[in-house]
Amino acid sequence: MLTVRINYRSAIPIRAIPFCSHGFLTATAVAGFLASPNSIPAEYDQQSSEDVNHPLSRYDRPPAPFRVTSPGQIEQLHPGIFSAVVDAVKVAVDAGDQMASIRALPPGIFVWLDEIKTLFDFLDFQYHRQEYDARDEVTNFRYWMDEPFVGIDVASTSMIMEDIAHAAEAVIRRTVKRSGPG
């Protein structure tokens, strides 16, 4: 499983996104929305805005990246720190090695699983399903899978899960202050 439970919520390392989307969200696309959250324009129309479960109405922003610090605190990351990642991923893609582009993404960075699934559904509908619906073709051919059915070897899994061991155990503990006895 490429997802991790953090503070009772499912998160996914950004290096796992190309595998779980089966290449639909490439390392270049991941680096792009991390560095520039406004790079993916939202598209709304009257018909879809009335349906709260429609992929076009559920999407409002790309997932916000975060990391888990060693004491177990969640630290939100500013998009500006990912500006160099876009160039590094482009260089790795130009080299022709698929795994190099995923290695160019920083390790130990997460997004919430529900947020990346919303982005996946939005992009899938926006770029592909509208066209197939217009032609009355089969629309349900691409799915997000938390555990990819494509076999991933041990080296790839360890590269994806690099620097996340402490994050799996991160639970924010809150104390309750009692006002009196009992």
Side-chain angles (χ1 to χ4, degrees), residues 2 19 99 103 150-161:
L2 297 178
F19 291 99
M99 293 305 285
R103 263 188 243 100
V150 177
I152 299 177
D153 59 351
V154 175
S156 299
T157 304
S158 65
M159 184 263 308
I160 292 168
M161 304 304 249

Side-chain angles (χ1 to χ4, degrees), residues 5-86:
R5 297 289 289 176
I6 299 173
N7 199 21
Y8 307 108
R9 193 171 171 194
S10 293
I12 186 166
I14 61 170
R15 286 183 169 184
I17 293 171
F19 291 99
C20 293
S21 68
H22 300 288
F24 181 63
L25 291 173
T26 62
T28 306
V30 172
F33 78 72
L34 290 176
S36 178
N38 297 327
S39 65
I40 302 171
E43 189 179 286
Y44 299 102
D45 61 1
Q46 185 63 31
Q47 182 180 5
S48 64
S49 65
E50 296 170 2
D51 182 7
V52 295
N53 291 321
H54 195 280
L56 293 182
S57 61
R58 288 186 316 157
Y59 174 77
D60 59 346
R61 62 175 175 76
F66 65 92
R67 69 176 155 213
V68 179
T69 61
S70 56
Q73 297 296 318
I74 295 173
E75 177 186 1
Q76 295 293 331
L77 301 173
H78 189 273
I81 66 171
F82 295 104
S83 59
V85 173
V86 175

